[in-house]
Amino acid sequence: MPPKKAAQEKKALLGRPGNNLKIGIVGLPNVGKSSFFNVLSKTDLGIARNFPYATIDPEEARVPVPDARFEWLCETYKPASRVPAFLTCIDIAGLTAGASTGAGLGNAFLSHVRAVDGIFQVVRAFDDAEVTHVEGDVDPLRDMEIISTELRLKDIEWVEKHLDGLKKSGRSLGNNSLADKAKKEEIATVEKMYKVLTVENKDIRKAEWTNREIDVVNGLQLLTAKPVTYLVNLSERDYIRKKNKWLPKIKAWIDEHNPGDPLIPFSVALEERLEAMEPEEREEEQKKIGAVSALPKITTAGYASLDLIRYFTCGPDEVRAWTIRRGTKAPQAAGVIHTDFENKFVCGEIMAYEDLREHGSESAVKAAGKLRQQGKPYEMQDGDIAYWKAGI
């Protein structure tokens, strides 16, 4: 009998565990962060002002994540209550060169970035004499370099401090105990982090890490470990004609420094104009100009960047999307609704959204043998529809 293949170890995720993850809107002052936050959240919380540090305390908004599956489920079940998935967005004060050493609102800014799980980096690529740029002129590549440098410098400072503490406490380590070996592994991982930041000049999220190393990396909550989505703020004219002199250069900068990070062009000016319209008027205007709002795409990209997925619970009372992290097992997914569902978990009755869409009703899905009973080892898939059974 051939030997069993060793099960492949599942890749651990960078970042905090959990489903209540947040994304921070980051950028230099006066690049359109607060205006973007306002249209994204449909509020005036982050009052946009034409001066640096208009946002000092970070503002927070829960933004619905568009999902055609959710809309179809609501049409099918016609529930009394509809609760979509949400992305929590934080508007963070503008960063300036020298923030890592406390310049401007540097220390507050960096602590706010540390508290979020992902970054929307707003980059200004429009000229407007009425909106001053903190660096004097518009140069998105310089702005991206400033933010990248400041985040990395702060990480280097934290890693140096942590490594120094580990080495001081590690002088008396032996080779025998498991605890001593674990401490030595931790020191080696932190030394590797320091090398990635200082010698390789890379962000932490762009290096290769084993699962054991990721546990150490996650413990430090480093700024450059957080996923980044670049949002390039264009003039309305450039966005509509899909042309801007900076876009190819920005794309080349990302490919060189942080390959694989998403780049989404948008226009705050257009988004503000569309937001002021009634839905029918907005639809007509988008047809007329031949361009659509980028907000749904941005929200979806932010949600995906945090490795978030959703499952649904459906019935006449409520259709609801529940946010979980990719890789979550059934009991933990049930626990998002109530801790008792996790603690007293029995099983889940699961069907895929695609199967319900294909067969048209739950009874038809069941008749086709596509309604599955899943136990504790089951890993939830994006779009699962679940009914949980828990003990008393």
Side-chain angles (χ1 to χ4, degrees):
M1 191 172 170
K4 282 187 178 178
K5 285 184 182 175
Q8 194 174 6
E9 188 181 22
K10 193 169 178 338
K11 188 70 176 167
L13 298 175
L14 279 173
R16 284 190 305 142
N19 61 304
N20 186 24
L21 304 183
K22 300 176 180 182
I23 201 155
I25 302 169
V26 168
L28 269 65
N30 295 354
V31 296
K33 292 186 319 303
S34 293
S35 300
F36 165 60
F37 176 82
N38 291 348
V39 291
L40 191 65
S41 60
K42 300 183 181 176
T43 72
D44 289 320
L45 281 173
I47 301 162
R49 295 283 184 265
N50 180 20
F51 56 83
Y53 321 126
T55 312
I56 296 175
D57 295 323
E59 302 288 359
E60 183 170 324
R62 291 176 78 231
V63 183
V65 181
D67 189 338
R69 300 170 303 181
F70 175 77
E71 298 301 331
W72 184 86
L73 290 169
C74 289
E75 284 172 24
T76 302
Y77 285 89
K78 298 180 172 48
S81 169
R82 306 162 40 125
V83 185
F86 288 93
L87 177 68
T88 303
C89 294
I90 313 283
D91 185 20
I92 295 174
L95 173 146
T96 49
S100 57
T101 56
L105 295 166
N107 292 328
F109 167 88
L110 292 166
S111 69
H112 293 151
V113 178
R114 199 175 192 186
V116 300
D117 303 283
I119 293 170
F120 277 149
Q121 186 173 323
V122 180
V123 182
R124 175 175 169 178
F126 67 90
D127 291 304
D128 186 337
E130 292 182 14
V131 183
T132 58
H133 194 291
V134 72
E135 293 291 325
D137 61 340
V138 173
D139 183 346
L141 303 185
R142 175 205 57 215
D143 295 356
M144 292 161 80
E145 201 68 59
I146 286 172
I147 290 178
S148 177
T149 300
E150 294 303 326
L151 298 186
R152 204 174 288 167
L153 284 173
K154 201 64 186 178
D155 275 358
I156 291 168
E157 181 191 318
W158 283 332
V159 169
E160 277 179 335
K161 200 177 288 183
H162 189 64
L163 188 56
D164 191 44
L166 284 174
K167 284 183 172 175
K168 280 178 183 171
S169 64
R171 283 174 188 153
S172 58
L173 292 177
N175 292 311
N176 300 325
S177 76
L178 287 173
D180 284 358
K181 284 178 181 173
K183 183 64 76 176
K184 284 183 174 179
E185 282 182 13
E186 184 181 356
I187 291 171
T189 300
V190 179
E191 284 175 335
K192 178 180 170 181
M193 291 157 69
Y194 186 72
K195 185 184 173 192
V196 165
L197 290 163
T198 58
V199 179
E200 298 176 21
N201 287 317
K202 282 163 69 171
D203 285 356
I204 291 293
R205 71 185 187 282
K206 293 302 175 184
E208 287 295 321
W209 306 98
T210 67
N211 283 359
R212 291 175 81 149
E213 288 172 336
I214 284 174
D215 286 342
V216 177
V217 173
N218 286 346
L220 267 71
Q221 293 184 308
L222 295 177
L223 305 175
T224 64
K226 302 175 191 299
V228 177
T229 303
Y230 293 92
L231 307 179
V232 183
N233 186 9
L234 308 174
S235 68
E236 182 175 333
R237 178 173 173 268
D238 283 359
Y239 178 74
I240 291 169
R241 68 190 186 124
K242 299 181 174 64
K243 283 180 81 174
N244 174 276
K245 66 179 180 181
W246 289 108
L247 274 177
K249 297 174 185 176
I250 292 169
K251 174 76 168 61
W253 188 95
I254 294 170
D255 289 345
E256 181 187 345
H257 295 87
N258 290 315
D261 284 355
L263 160 64
I264 303 177
F266 78 116
S267 169
V268 166
L270 174 62
E271 300 295 352
E272 286 180 320
R273 200 162 66 77
L274 292 174
E275 179 50 40
M277 298 176 183
E278 293 298 320
E280 296 80 12
E281 187 189 357
R282 189 179 307 137
E283 205 168 308
E284 277 301 311
E285 181 64 14
Q286 289 179 118
K287 281 180 189 168
K288 184 176 134 190
I289 63 177
V292 297
S293 167
L295 297 187
K297 185 177 181 181
I298 290 170
T299 309
T300 303
Y303 192 84
S305 76
L306 297 173
D307 283 305
L308 296 175
I309 60 172
R310 67 277 237 180
Y311 75 88
F312 303 103
T313 52
C314 303
D317 293 334
E318 181 181 77
V319 168
R320 185 164 184 155
W322 300 91
T323 293
I324 53 176
R325 210 143 188 234
R326 192 176 301 283
T328 300
K329 295 284 176 44
Q332 289 69 46
V336 171
I337 300 176
H338 197 287
T339 50
D340 280 356
F341 285 11
E342 179 178 354
N343 297 335
K344 299 173 183 178
F345 182 86
V346 173
C347 70
E349 288 191 344
I350 311 278
M351 59 181 156
Y353 166 81
E354 289 78 12
D355 290 335
L356 180 61
R357 186 79 197 251
E358 180 187 340
H359 294 284
S361 69
E362 289 181 23
S363 55
V365 171
K366 193 171 184 179
K370 297 289 181 75
L371 183 66
R372 314 176 308 275
Q373 278 214 346
Q374 300 287 8
K376 291 181 179 180
Y378 177 69
E379 184 181 306
M380 298 294 289
Q381 302 301 307
D382 188 37
D384 276 348
I385 297 164
Y387 296 90
W388 303 118
K389 293 183 178 179
I392 298 169

